[in-house]
Amino acid sequence: MNPIYKRRWAVTVRPAHLGDAEAVRAIRNHAVEHSTALWTDTPQSPAEGAAWLAAHIERGSAFVADVDGEVAGFAVYGPWRELDGYRHTVEDSVYVRDGRHGLGIGSALLAALVTAAREAGHHVVVAGIEAENTASIRLHERFGFRHAGTLTEVGTKFGRRLDLTLMRLALN
Protein backbone atom coordinates (compact mmCIF):
# COMPACT_ATOMS: atom_id res chain seq x y z
CA MET A 1 0.00 0.00 0.00
CA ASN A 2 1.22 3.48 -0.84
CA PRO A 3 1.93 5.21 2.52
CA ILE A 4 0.22 8.39 1.39
CA TYR A 5 -3.11 6.62 1.80
CA LYS A 6 -2.34 4.99 5.14
CA ARG A 7 -4.24 6.47 8.09
CA ARG A 8 -2.30 6.69 11.31
CA TRP A 9 -5.26 7.81 13.39
CA ALA A 10 -8.84 6.82 13.97
CA VAL A 11 -11.91 8.99 14.36
CA THR A 12 -14.22 8.05 17.21
CA VAL A 13 -17.60 9.75 17.27
CA ARG A 14 -19.38 9.73 20.61
CA PRO A 15 -22.16 11.65 22.32
CA ALA A 16 -20.90 14.95 23.66
CA HIS A 17 -20.75 15.60 27.40
CA LEU A 18 -20.36 18.80 29.39
CA GLY A 19 -16.62 18.20 29.70
CA ASP A 20 -16.41 18.85 25.94
CA ALA A 21 -17.91 22.34 26.23
CA GLU A 22 -14.65 24.29 26.08
CA ALA A 23 -13.28 22.33 23.10
CA VAL A 24 -16.58 22.70 21.25
CA ARG A 25 -16.70 26.41 22.08
CA ALA A 26 -13.15 26.88 20.75
CA ILE A 27 -14.06 25.22 17.43
CA ARG A 28 -17.28 27.22 17.20
CA ASN A 29 -15.60 30.52 18.06
CA HIS A 30 -12.88 29.90 15.46
CA ALA A 31 -15.66 29.56 12.87
CA VAL A 32 -17.27 32.77 14.14
CA GLU A 33 -14.01 34.70 13.87
CA HIS A 34 -12.59 33.26 10.64
CA SER A 35 -15.37 31.94 8.42
CA THR A 36 -18.82 32.58 7.03
CA ALA A 37 -20.13 29.30 8.43
CA LEU A 38 -21.79 31.07 11.38
CA TRP A 39 -23.44 34.38 10.60
CA THR A 40 -22.54 36.18 13.79
CA ASP A 41 -19.60 38.31 14.85
CA THR A 42 -20.03 37.51 18.54
CA PRO A 43 -18.00 34.63 20.01
CA GLN A 44 -19.57 32.59 22.80
CA SER A 45 -18.43 33.12 26.36
CA PRO A 46 -17.60 30.01 28.40
CA ALA A 47 -21.00 30.19 30.13
CA GLU A 48 -22.86 30.64 26.83
CA GLY A 49 -20.96 27.79 25.23
CA ALA A 50 -21.70 25.44 28.13
CA ALA A 51 -25.40 26.35 28.13
CA TRP A 52 -25.65 25.96 24.34
CA LEU A 53 -24.03 22.52 24.43
CA ALA A 54 -26.07 21.45 27.49
CA ALA A 55 -29.32 22.09 25.60
CA HIS A 56 -28.15 19.83 22.76
CA ILE A 57 -26.90 17.16 25.18
CA GLU A 58 -30.27 17.16 26.95
CA ARG A 59 -32.07 16.44 23.68
CA GLY A 60 -29.47 13.80 22.70
CA SER A 61 -28.40 15.73 19.62
CA ALA A 62 -24.73 16.57 20.26
CA PHE A 63 -21.72 14.54 19.13
CA VAL A 64 -17.98 15.03 19.10
CA ALA A 65 -15.25 13.44 17.02
CA ASP A 66 -12.25 12.33 19.03
CA VAL A 67 -8.92 11.95 17.24
CA ASP A 68 -5.95 10.92 19.37
CA GLY A 69 -7.65 12.18 22.54
CA GLU A 70 -8.52 15.59 21.04
CA VAL A 71 -11.99 16.87 20.19
CA ALA A 72 -11.43 17.37 16.47
CA GLY A 73 -14.99 18.35 15.58
CA PHE A 74 -18.58 18.43 16.71
CA ALA A 75 -22.04 18.08 15.25
CA VAL A 76 -25.45 18.99 16.60
CA TYR A 77 -29.00 19.08 15.41
CA GLY A 78 -31.79 21.20 16.76
CA PRO A 79 -35.24 22.41 15.89
CA TRP A 80 -35.46 23.94 12.45
CA ARG A 81 -38.30 26.24 13.52
CA GLU A 82 -39.88 26.65 16.95
CA LEU A 83 -43.55 26.18 15.97
CA ASP A 84 -44.87 22.70 16.72
CA GLY A 85 -45.85 22.13 13.08
CA TYR A 86 -42.12 21.79 12.37
CA ARG A 87 -41.48 19.35 15.23
CA HIS A 88 -40.38 16.52 12.92
CA THR A 89 -37.81 18.67 11.10
CA VAL A 90 -34.35 19.43 12.49
CA GLU A 91 -31.38 21.44 11.28
CA ASP A 92 -27.83 20.10 11.40
CA SER A 93 -24.51 21.80 12.14
CA VAL A 94 -21.14 20.12 11.57
CA TYR A 95 -17.81 21.78 12.44
CA VAL A 96 -14.26 20.48 12.25
CA ARG A 97 -11.28 21.92 14.13
CA ASP A 98 -9.01 24.12 12.03
CA GLY A 99 -6.21 22.04 10.52
CA ARG A 100 -8.26 18.81 10.62
CA HIS A 101 -10.35 19.33 7.47
CA GLY A 102 -10.31 16.76 4.69
CA LEU A 103 -9.61 13.82 7.01
CA GLY A 104 -13.10 12.28 7.11
CA ILE A 105 -14.05 13.86 10.43
CA GLY A 106 -17.02 15.77 9.01
CA SER A 107 -18.28 12.62 7.30
CA ALA A 108 -18.04 10.60 10.51
CA LEU A 109 -19.91 13.31 12.42
CA LEU A 110 -22.65 13.73 9.82
CA ALA A 111 -23.17 9.96 9.65
CA ALA A 112 -23.69 9.82 13.42
CA LEU A 113 -25.98 12.84 13.36
CA VAL A 114 -28.21 11.50 10.57
CA THR A 115 -28.46 8.12 12.32
CA ALA A 116 -29.37 9.77 15.63
CA ALA A 117 -31.99 12.02 14.03
CA ARG A 118 -33.55 9.03 12.26
CA GLU A 119 -33.58 6.97 15.48
CA ALA A 120 -35.17 9.90 17.34
CA GLY A 121 -38.08 9.75 14.88
CA HIS A 122 -37.41 12.93 12.94
CA HIS A 123 -38.63 13.10 9.37
CA VAL A 124 -36.37 15.67 7.65
CA VAL A 125 -32.93 17.15 8.31
CA VAL A 126 -32.32 20.61 6.86
CA ALA A 127 -28.89 22.09 6.25
CA GLY A 128 -28.47 25.83 5.83
CA ILE A 129 -25.06 26.39 4.21
CA GLU A 130 -23.37 29.59 3.04
CA ALA A 131 -23.63 29.19 -0.72
CA GLU A 132 -19.88 29.44 -1.38
CA ASN A 133 -19.06 26.69 1.13
CA THR A 134 -18.71 24.02 -1.54
CA ALA A 135 -16.99 21.56 0.83
CA SER A 136 -20.02 21.49 3.13
CA ILE A 137 -22.41 21.28 0.20
CA ARG A 138 -20.47 18.29 -1.23
CA LEU A 139 -20.39 16.62 2.20
CA HIS A 140 -24.14 16.87 2.50
CA GLU A 141 -24.68 15.66 -1.08
CA ARG A 142 -22.64 12.53 -0.29
CA PHE A 143 -25.18 11.74 2.43
CA GLY A 144 -28.14 12.18 0.09
CA PHE A 145 -29.08 15.76 0.92
CA ARG A 146 -30.64 17.52 -2.05
CA HIS A 147 -30.64 21.19 -2.97
CA ALA A 148 -33.93 22.77 -1.85
CA GLY A 149 -33.20 26.36 -2.86
CA THR A 150 -30.90 29.30 -2.40
CA LEU A 151 -31.91 32.51 -0.65
CA THR A 152 -29.83 35.34 -2.04
CA GLU A 153 -28.31 38.10 0.08
CA VAL A 154 -30.10 37.08 3.30
CA GLY A 155 -27.03 37.44 5.53
CA THR A 156 -23.98 39.61 6.01
CA LYS A 157 -20.54 39.02 7.40
CA PHE A 158 -17.10 40.54 6.88
CA GLY A 159 -18.71 43.44 5.01
CA ARG A 160 -20.37 41.38 2.29
CA ARG A 161 -23.80 39.95 1.59
CA LEU A 162 -24.19 36.19 1.82
CA ASP A 163 -26.45 33.66 0.10
CA LEU A 164 -27.92 30.70 1.98
CA THR A 165 -28.19 27.32 0.27
CA LEU A 166 -30.85 25.11 1.81
CA MET A 167 -30.51 21.34 1.52
CA ARG A 168 -32.78 18.61 2.86
CA LEU A 169 -32.66 14.93 3.61
CA ALA A 170 -35.80 12.86 4.16
CA LEU A 171 -35.07 10.29 6.87
CA ASN A 172 -37.89 7.82 6.19
Side-chain angles (χ1 to χ4, degrees):
M1 172 190 273
N2 186 336
I4 196 167
Y5 297 109
K6 186 176 179 183
R7 285 191 177 167
R8 292 175 286 210
W9 48 269
V11 178
T12 303
V13 175
R14 60 170 173 76
H17 54 73
L18 286 179
D20 299 317
E22 186 54 33
V24 168
R25 184 179 80 90
I27 295 167
R28 192 174 193 280
N29 281 350
H30 187 274
V32 167
E33 295 167 0
H34 301 282
S35 79
T36 56
L38 280 162
W39 294 3
T40 181
D41 298 318
T42 308
Q44 285 182 328
S45 69
E48 291 166 335
W52 178 85
L53 185 59
H56 286 287
I57 291 170
E58 185 176 321
R59 100 169 52 85
S61 63
F63 300 87
V64 296
D66 183 287
V67 176
D68 297 332
E70 171 193 58
V71 173
F74 73 91
V76 297
Y77 70 77
W80 184 56
R81 297 282 187 267
E82 294 300 324
L83 298 175
D84 63 348
Y86 297 106
R87 68 187 170 277
H88 301 293
T89 301
V90 294
E91 183 174 9
D92 77 326
S93 295
V94 178
Y95 292 89
V96 175
R97 180 178 297 283
D98 188 46
R100 294 287 197 159
H101 293 95
L103 303 174
I105 295 166
S107 291
L109 285 163
L110 188 54
L113 204 66
V114 166
T115 297
R118 183 176 285 120
E119 289 174 354
H122 296 294
H123 178 64
V124 171
V125 179
V126 173
I129 304 167
E130 195 275 320
E132 292 183 9
N133 187 345
T134 57
S136 185
I137 290 169
R138 283 193 313 267
L139 169 66
H140 283 80
E141 286 173 341
R142 285 195 307 272
F143 280 83
F145 283 75
R146 296 293 171 244
H147 186 265
T150 298
L151 304 173
T152 58
E153 299 183 352
V154 295
T156 60
K157 191 160 182 187
F158 304 135
R160 63 185 182 100
R161 300 209 181 274
L162 302 172
D163 299 343
L164 182 68
T165 293
L166 295 174
M167 301 183 78
R168 71 177 292 277
L169 175 68
L171 296 174
N172 50 23

